[in-house]
């Protein structure tokens, strides 16, 4: 039953996120990945945790030429995660807020505030970041995961990781 709920939730989130991705003529578009690590593990009764994140961007392209020097980057950040009480441990339904830093291939850094909301009761399903300094300051980035999965032992130990091996990110 838990596996079935996880598969349904993942299918729903993948459909919602990938169905809305549209590349527009903008400042930058990249392919990437991320991994959120939660401590303590999220379970049906543990609904808040610290969220550390790491990830990367590659194959960046600036359609309008403004940021053509930015080709790749590495992201780190820390924040918090919360989710409704009583969810199956592996259900990827939550809200994450964090502050993060993106170090570009040029050595420049951008800071940004990100909100990941996969809880339909908390508003629109989004992964959105507002860049506050460095390259792309003032821009908003929206990410669309193509593949999203929890840690393999989630059913036994709770949700300790949420990973996207492939996502698309667009700035405007």
């Amino acid at each position: 039953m838990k596996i079935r709920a996880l598969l349904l939730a993942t299918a729903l989130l993948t459909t919602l996120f990938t169905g809305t991705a549209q590349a527009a003529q903008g400042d930058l578009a990249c392919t990437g990945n991320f991994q959120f690590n939660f401590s303590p593990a999220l379970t049906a009764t543990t609904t808040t945790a610290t969220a550390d994140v790491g990830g990367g961007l590659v194959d960046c392209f600036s359609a309008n030429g403004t940021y053509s020097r930015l080709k790749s980057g590495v992201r780190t950040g820390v924040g918090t995660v919360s989710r409704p009480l009583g969810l199956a441990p592996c259900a990827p339904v939550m809200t994450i807020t964090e502050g993060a830093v993106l170090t570009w291939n040029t050595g420049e850094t951008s800071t940004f505030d990100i909100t990941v909301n996969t809880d339909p009761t908390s508003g629109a399903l989004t992964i959105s970041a507002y860049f506050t300094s460095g390259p792309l300051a003032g821009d908003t980035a929206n990410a669309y995961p193509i593949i999203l999965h929890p840690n393999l032992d989630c059913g036994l130990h709770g949700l300790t990781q949420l990973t996207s091996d492939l996502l698309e990110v667009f700035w405007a």
Side-chain angles (χ1 to χ4, degrees):
M1 185 67 169
K2 289 180 184 179
I3 299 284
R4 190 168 135 196
L6 172 63
L7 292 174
L8 287 172
T10 301
L12 171 67
L13 292 173
T14 300
T15 300
L16 290 171
F17 284 129
T18 59
T20 58
Q22 294 181 7
Q25 184 96 6
D27 284 340
L28 199 65
C30 301
T31 300
N33 62 37
F34 66 76
Q35 179 174 311
F36 286 98
N37 298 307
F38 307 120
S39 179
L42 297 169
T43 65
T45 57
T46 302
T47 61
T48 60
T50 298
D52 293 320
V53 67
L57 298 172
V58 295
D59 301 327
C60 298
F61 176 75
S62 180
N64 63 19
T66 305
Y67 294 97
S68 58
R69 72 188 183 282
L70 305 177
K71 302 294 184 192
S72 62
V74 176
R75 172 185 155 195
T76 58
V78 65
T80 59
V81 59
S82 63
R83 59 190 263 162
L85 186 65
L87 286 178
C90 302
V93 177
M94 64 193 66
T95 301
I96 303 168
T97 57
E98 68 173 38
V101 175
L102 182 55
T103 303
W104 296 100
N105 61 290
T106 60
E108 298 169 276
T109 58
S110 296
T111 58
F112 58 98
D113 297 315
I114 186 168
T115 300
V116 176
N117 182 41
T118 60
D119 180 359
T121 65
S122 293
L125 301 175
T126 60
I127 299 177
S128 184
Y130 180 73
F131 279 64
T132 55
S133 71
L136 298 155
D139 272 15
T140 297
N142 291 294
Y144 304 94
I146 308 301
I147 300 170
L148 185 68
H149 56 86
N151 48 293
L152 292 176
D153 61 352
C154 181
L156 296 173
H157 301 288
L159 186 61
T160 59
Q161 295 176 342
L162 187 61
T163 303
S164 176
D165 298 324
L166 179 61
L167 73 144
E168 297 294 329
V169 184
F170 301 96
W171 283 261

